[in-house]
């Protein structure tokens, strides 16, 4: 038994973790630092069987630096397939969903929430998002607390 932690300590980098996913290309961990009101995402690459025990090998992302809205965030779910990584959650003060996607193994993320919001029915609400999964090439599936089910073609 070994215990790993991507946390590096210090303010803004010591959150709780809510989800983990991985494949032979790496791991992704998502959570929140309630002290600073920011969702957090960590990724580590294909050498994760050895590198995951060294916190300096993880890439750390403050969701508040990526998200397009200026509001506290939480990451509830993460998923990974090859170089594609997604993190889903919510703008916690607003109760609105959040979708972030990386195409480079988690080194950089883009906020895809507005693309999803544009497809909602008039007056529809996205609500907090909790789970994600990659399917065939270019397809991301997301499920949320408000009964929302999203199929996003990347």
């Amino acid at each position: 038994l070994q215990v790993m932690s991507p946390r590096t300590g210090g303010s803004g980098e010591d959150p709780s973790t809510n989800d983990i996913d991985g494949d032979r290309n790496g791991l992704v961990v998502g959570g929140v630092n309630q002290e600073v009101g920011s969702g957090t995402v960590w990724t580590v690459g294909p050498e994760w069987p050895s590198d995951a025990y060294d916190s300096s090998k993880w890439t750390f992302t403050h969701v508040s630096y990526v998200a397009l809205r200026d509001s506290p965030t939480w990451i509830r779910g993460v998923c990974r397939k090859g170089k594609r990584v997604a993190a889903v959650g919510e703008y916690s003060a607003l109760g609105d969903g959040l979708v972030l996607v990386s195409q480079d193994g988690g080194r950089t993320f883009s906020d895809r929430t507005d693309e999803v919001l544009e497809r909602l029915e008039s007056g529809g609400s996205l609500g907090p998002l909790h789970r994600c999964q990659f399917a065939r090439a270019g397809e991301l599936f997301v499920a949320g607390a408000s009964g929302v089910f999203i199929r996003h073609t990347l």
Side-chain angles (χ1 to χ4, degrees), residues 56-75:
S56 70
K57 303 288 185 176
W58 290 80
T59 299
F60 178 73
T61 302
H62 277 283
V63 173
S64 60
Y65 297 161
V66 178
L68 297 177
R69 291 172 182 77
D70 185 22
S71 183
T73 57
W74 285 53
I75 292 300

Side-chain angles (χ1 to χ4, degrees), residues 7-28:
R7 299 181 301 176
T8 58
S11 180
E13 296 183 24
D14 196 19
S16 62
T17 55
N18 293 331
D19 199 14
I20 185 171
D21 192 25
D23 61 16
R24 62 187 166 94
N25 294 294
L27 296 176
V28 57

Side-chain angles (χ1 to χ4, degrees), residues 69-121:
R69 291 172 182 77
D70 185 22
S71 183
T73 57
W74 285 53
I75 292 300
R76 302 283 188 188
V78 293
C79 54
R80 179 179 191 125
K81 187 171 186 177
K83 293 284 188 181
R84 295 180 296 155
V85 177
V88 299
E90 65 183 288
Y91 291 97
S92 56
L94 305 174
D96 291 338
L98 169 68
V99 179
L100 304 179
V101 175
S102 171
Q103 301 283 359
D104 60 8
R107 293 188 196 285
T108 61
F109 283 87
S110 60
D111 187 342
R112 308 297 280 270
T113 308
D114 284 345
E115 295 171 33
V116 174
L117 291 172
E118 290 173 4
R119 302 281 182 155
L120 282 178
E121 293 180 18

